[in-house]
Amino acid sequence: MHTTFAMLLALSMVLLVSCADPDTSSTGTPMSGAGEGDLDQRIERLKADVAAGRPATDAEELRNRSLTLFAWANRRARMGDDLPWSLPLVVATLSRLPYEDEQPGRDQLEQATGQLAPYVEHLRLRDEDPEAMGTAQLLNVGPHPINSWQTLEIEYVVGSRPLAEGARLTLSRGTNANIEEPTAPGYVTAETNRPDVTLVATRGPVSYQRIFQPTGAPVQFEVSGGTLNPGDKVIIRLGDKSGGGPGVMMESLSNDFIPLELYVRLEPAGPDYVLPRLGLKTKGIEVAGVHAFAPSILAVGETFDLVIRSEDIQTNRATGAIPGYRVLLNGGPFRELPPGQDAIAKIQHIAFDKPGVYRFSITSIDGSIRGEANPILVEQDPLERIFWGETHGHSGMAEGRGTSDGFFTFGRDDANLDFLVHSEHDLWMDDAEWEKLRANTQEFAAAGDFIPYLGYEWTTDQNFGGHHNVVFRTAEGRDRIPRQTHPTLALLYQGLRENHAVEDVLIIPHAHQVGDWRYSDPEMQTLVEIQSFHGAFEWFGHMYLRHGHHVGFISASDDHSSHPGYGVSRGMRSGLAGVIAAEKSRDAIFNAMKDLRTYAVMGDRMILQFEVNGARMGQRTPLANERNLRGRIISQSPIDTLVVHRNSQEIWRKDLRTLSGPVGKGQDRIEVEFTTDSQPLLEQRDIPRGRRFWSGTITVDGARLIEVDAPAFIDVDLQAAEIDPQQLNQINFRTVTRGQTSSLALVLEEASADTKITIDIEASVETRGNNYTRLRRGPIDIPAWKPTFRLSELNQGFANKTQDVKGHKDVVGLRLVAAESQKDHSFEFVDTSSRDGDYYTLRVLQENDQLGWSSPIWVGGARSR
C-alpha cells in the first residue's frame, strides 16, 4: 500500500470511528455496564417513543433506536423465536444514516419511526403474550418431485387472542398464488371449522414481505361474519385442484426447505405478525446424466475413491431406478456398477502405479447416459495438491432456499468439495443464526476429508464498499462484524482487526454488487471473486491489480438454493476456487488462500499450472528484463484458447481450435458465438452490466445443415438449440451471456465461400445488474438485429459483427473450428520488459465455453503493506 494511501485510510477510519456508537458490540448487540438491565430500559424507551409516534431528533438517535431493536430481536432469537425476516435489514438501513452524504430531514425521521413500528410491536407481543399469534404447520411437507404439480395444505390454529371481524391471514406467495381462476395454476382457497365464519379472499401488502419470493400482491383471507376463537382451525390450500386446476408447480431444484410465510393480523387496523416460517421439500427426478469426481493431483500408488453421482435434468441428485454403469479409464474398460446403486456411489481404493494423466468416463449399460470425471494428474512425488472449494453460497437462512444442514450436506456429498464456506448475508442474520453457522462449521468438519470454514457476507451497496465475504480460519470465539454496526468498508476492516488476528481472517470482495477496488486491507483481503452464477467479471480482478493491490483470483457460485459448488443457474456453471496446498488441512488451505495460491474456474475442474521465471501463481520473482513464461493446462473439455496478460493487457494468445480454411472439404464445423462484456462503462464503481438474452433463428443457405452441437448450452431453462423440423436449414436457439461467450456449432456439408449464414436475433430486454442498488447506466431495451455472414468473409477462420448497445459492443462471431482439440497442452515463451512490478495472468477457454483464470505472478516490485 502506498504511504499516502495508508495515511488517508487510517485517517478515514479515525473519522468514521468518531461517528460510531461507542456502546455497541461486534455482534450488533448494544452494550453497557448495566448489561441486560440497561437493555430493558432502552427497550422501554423505544416502545414508548414508537407508541407515541415521536420521531428521532437526528440520524444518530435513530441509529441508537435501531440498534436497540436489533439487540432486543437477538435476545428473542436466542430464545428460539423466528424473527420477522427483514428486521435485520431495516436495522442495517436505518443505522447507516449517520454515514450518508445527506442527513435525513424531519419527514424522513418520521417515516423511519414508522418503519420501526411493526417490528417493535411484533417483539412486544412476543414478550407479553407469546401464544397470541397462534401456530401454523404445513401438512404435506414432501419431498415432492421437482416440477411436479401439488396441493399444499397449511393448518393454522388460532392462538390466545381471537380473530374477530376484519382480522386476516396472509400467504406471502406472490404470483404463484391465484384466487381468481379455479382452473388456473396455484389456485388458493381457505376454510375453517366454524360454519358461521367466512374467509374472504383478497390481495394486499403485508407489513414486511420477504423479498426474492415470486412477485405480486400476497393472498389474504379476511375473517367475516363471526369470530375465530382460540383453538379454532383454518386450512389454506395452495394449489387447490377441486375447481379443475392443476395445483401449484414445485420448483426445479431439490431442496430441504423452500419457505412459505404466513402472517396473521389480529385486529383490522393492527400490524401483520409473521409466524415461524414453514418449509416444503423437493427432490430430484429420474436419471438424465452422470458425473464423477476424483482428486486432481495424486502420487504414484496413492489410493483414492471415485465418486459417481447420478443426476436429473437439472443436476439434482436423481431418484428412482439407478441404471448400471460401465466405467472406462482412458477409454478402456475399468469397472462395472450393477443397477440399483445409490445415486451417489463410490469405487474405493483405486491407485495408479505410473505417472501420467488419467481420465474416467461413465456410460449407462444401454448407452443412453454419459458423463465423465475431472482429469487426474499422477506424479511420482507431488509437492503440492489442488483442492476444490466454495467460498460464497447461501441458504434459506437469508433470502434463498434450504437449511444450513442441507447446504453443508450438499457441498460435502453432492459437490464433493474439499472445503466450504456458508457465507450467509449479515443483512438478514441474527445471533441465533450465527451460532447455527458456527455449530455446523464444527459439526461437519472431518479431519483430512471435508473442511468447513465459518464465514458470512458483509452486505452493503457499492457506495459504502460493496459486498465482501469474510472467512475465519477457525470457528471458536469468532464474532461477525456486521453491517448493522459497521456500515462502511473502513469500519469493517477496523472491526475485524480489533476483534481478530489478521492472519485468521480472509476478506473476498465480489463484482455483481461491486467491491471498492480503490481500497483494500493488504493483510486480510488477499483474494477477489471474479466469477459466479451472476456472470464473468475478469475485469473486476484487474481493477484491483491496476490499483496496486496484491490479490489473487477465485470463483464461487453465490448459489442461493443450498447447492454450493455444483450446479447451473442463469446459463452459468457454479464457480469454484482451486487452491494449491501441500495437504488437505484447515491451516494449509487457509494459508494458501492468504498467500494467493489459488486460481478460478467456471464449473470444470481443470488443472492449471502457470509460472514466470520459476515463480508460481500468487508469488513474486526478482526483477529481470527477460521473463520465461511456462504453463500447462489439463482440461476436461478440449482447450480452445489461451491468453496471457501483462499488467491487465493481452500480450500473447494461442488458439488451438480455429482453422484458417478452406471450407468445403467434407464436413465443416462452423461455430456461432455470442459475446457480451460485463464491465461498467464508467469506472466510478457502477455495478456490472446485466445479462443479455439472445434468441431467434440461424438460417443456412448454400450448404446442407447436418446437425447443431451446443456443448456449452447447460441451462435447460435459458439455453436451447435445435434444427427446426419444418425448415431443415434453420436452427431455433436461445441463450444468455454476461461477461463471457456462449457458442454453438453448425455441422455443414457441401459448404462453399458463397454459403450464407443469417442470424435473426429477436429484440430483448437487458436485466438489471442488481435489484436493489443505484445504477448509473440502467438496463435498456435491445433492438432486433440480423447479422449476415458469407463464409468468404472468414479471415484466418474468423469473422465478427458488432451491435452498439448504449456504449457496449455486443459481438456475434463466426469461426471455422476443428472437430477435435487437445485436452492437455503445455506452452512456453519469453517476454521482455524492464518495468519493475509487472504482473502476469493466464486465462483459459475450453470448447464448452467454461473458463479458468490464474492468480497473478509479479516480477519485481514489492507487496503492498
Side-chain angles (χ1 to χ4, degrees), residues 59-109:
E60 194 62 42
E61 183 182 352
L62 182 60
R63 171 180 168 81
N64 290 333
R65 288 186 183 183
S66 301
L67 292 176
T68 296
L69 175 68
F70 197 42
W72 184 11
N74 278 315
R75 176 197 280 180
R76 294 293 326 175
R78 290 190 296 270
M79 296 168 61
D81 269 11
D82 199 352
L83 300 175
W85 175 80
S86 52
L87 188 154
L89 169 61
V90 169
V91 172
T93 301
L94 298 183
S95 65
R96 197 178 68 185
L97 289 177
Y99 306 93
E100 298 277 2
D101 294 335
E102 297 182 5
Q103 292 299 300
R106 181 173 178 83
D107 289 346
Q108 291 174 287
L109 293 170

Side-chain angles (χ1 to χ4, degrees), residues 387-399:
F387 301 110
W388 298 102
E390 163 78 275
T391 57
H392 183 188
H394 303 286
S395 73
M397 188 178 284
E399 79 276 33

Side-chain angles (χ1 to χ4, degrees), residues 372-444:
E372 57 189 7
N374 55 280
I376 304 168
L377 176 61
V378 177
E379 299 178 320
Q380 188 63 48
D381 188 17
L383 298 178
E384 294 178 314
R385 312 298 179 101
I386 300 170
F387 301 110
W388 298 102
E390 163 78 275
T391 57
H392 183 188
H394 303 286
S395 73
M397 188 178 284
E399 79 276 33
R401 305 287 191 266
T403 65
S404 181
D405 290 2
F407 182 95
F408 280 108
T409 299
F410 186 96
R412 180 192 63 193
D413 299 342
D414 290 79
N416 202 51
L417 298 175
D418 297 306
F419 66 94
L420 178 60
V421 184
H422 186 176
S423 56
E424 207 55 273
H425 289 286
D426 62 352
L427 199 60
W428 296 288
M429 191 186 300
D430 59 50
D431 284 357
E433 291 170 326
W434 178 246
E435 289 308 315
K436 175 62 175 175
L437 290 185
R438 186 201 309 278
N440 275 356
T441 300
Q442 295 167 316
E443 291 171 9
F444 278 83

